[in-house]
Amino acid sequence: MHTKNITTGGKPIEEASKVLIMIHGRGANAGDIISLADYLNVKDFALLAPQATNNTWYPYSFMAPVSQNEPWLSSALNLIKDLVNDINTKGISFENIYFLGFSQGACLTLEFVARNALKYGGVVAFTGGLIGDRVRTENYTGDFNKTSIFIGSSNPDPHVPVQRVNETTKVLSNMNAVVSQKLYNDMAHTISQDEIEMANTIVFSQK
């Protein structure tokens, strides 16, 4: 299962008032995703990037039945929950905790916040959607209390169907999140400069 192996960056958490949890994609690593912070308005943040065992959070597509991705999916979700609890013990409230993920990491990010909806600092999902062969709204409870969420994705994307992105936006919006979704025609499976700018404007400009 996953172990708590965290790459850090930005300000030391003891000196920061805000924390960004960064979740890498399949086949990547914590160092890859944390390097993205160079392009984000997060210079005053502590950066925490957990490392997945064998560089993947769960074995199969995020669109597979959830049971096929267990017990790895639950292990990944529990790891993020433990990380959030650790941040809380440092005196940082949920409202000052931010999340960002790409691809498999974006799916995991969205699944975690939907299962644990609260007023967070903000959420960025570069190419992702809620996990499962179908969206199970019964798994998602809580109130985002106007948390800003940005979801960007390619239309089409080889791994993340646009329909799932749309379904995800609807679920999060119904949970009182302020979701900004943007689809990019034939962008391919990557992060675009426009997505970076959208994330900075929508999520990381919050005061």
Side-chain angles (χ1 to χ4, degrees), residues 23 29 78 86 93 151 175 181 189 201:
I23 312 294
N29 59 54
N78 288 335
D86 290 345
S93 67
I151 304 175
M175 297 172 71
Q181 175 189 304
H189 197 71
T201 299

Side-chain angles (χ1 to χ4, degrees), residues 170-191:
K170 182 178 180 181
V171 169
L172 300 177
S173 297
N174 287 342
M175 297 172 71
N176 202 23
V178 180
V179 185
S180 300
Q181 175 189 304
K182 188 168 182 180
L183 299 174
Y184 299 82
N185 290 332
D186 302 311
M187 179 177 69
H189 197 71
T190 187
I191 300 172

Side-chain angles (χ1 to χ4, degrees), residues 9 17 24 44 70 72 74 89 107-108 110 124 140 174 190 194:
S17 59
H24 69 76
D44 294 327
E70 294 293 6
W72 289 98
S74 289
T89 65
C107 297
L108 185 61
L110 292 167
V124 175
Y140 311 127
N174 287 342
T190 187
D194 188 76

